[in-house]
Amino acid sequence: MAIERTFSIIKPDATRRNLTGKINAKLEGAGLRIVAQRRVWMTTAQAEQFYGVHRERPFFRDLVTFMTSGPVVVQVLEGENAVAANREVMGATNPANAAEGTIRKEFAESIEANSVHGSDSAENAATEIAYFFAGTDIVG
Ligand code: CMP
């Protein structure tokens, strides 16, 4: 098994409800180490670029509006198979389908306000990490 890095966002619905610590306890409990972290309030342009792959989806405008509705915490997670490990502890995108014990089952409000984002591949993780962090910001 390989040590890898993935990108994580604690979304505005979660920062609004003061759930940053509880979510990060779940991530750490899943064997992930937070090796970079910053609180940011994304601009519309930043959110549009970050979610550019979803530009043609019907939910794109609402997604950008939601992701710019409050502060988020962007972070880099490191661990064995970090991409898959993070996705497992996050749970399904729609909290209605998320397994017991997952972050989205416990905390998400809806498919949009679903508390966390996590990269879906190692390749996308590298792109997403580079969007918010310089190499020198990441301290493993
Ligand atoms: P995320 O992992 O951040 O990537 C894209 C986001 O779009 C996704 O999580 C959801 O929060 C959001 N989203 C909103 N509506 C939908 C939908 N109908 N299907 C998939 N994702 C959606």
Side-chain angles (χ1 to χ4, degrees), residues 23-41:
I23 287 172
N24 280 337
K26 288 249 188 213
L27 296 173
E28 291 178 341
L32 294 159
R33 182 173 294 273
I34 301 163
V35 294
Q37 188 180 61
R38 196 166 78 249
R39 189 172 172 96
V40 297
W41 195 317

Side-chain angles (χ1 to χ4, degrees), residues 11 51 54 57 59 63 93 104 111-112 114 117:
K11 295 188 179 185
Y51 279 119
H54 297 303
R57 308 282 284 273
F59 57 81
L63 175 62
T93 304
R104 284 166 170 162
I111 193 169
E112 178 176 271
N114 65 355
H117 164 82

Side-chain angles (χ1 to χ4, degrees), residues 71-90:
V72 303
V73 178
V74 294
Q75 46 195 17
V76 180
L77 308 177
E78 185 177 86
E80 289 214 348
N81 294 318
V83 171
N86 183 39
R87 290 180 72 77
E88 188 170 340
V89 71
M90 286 196 303

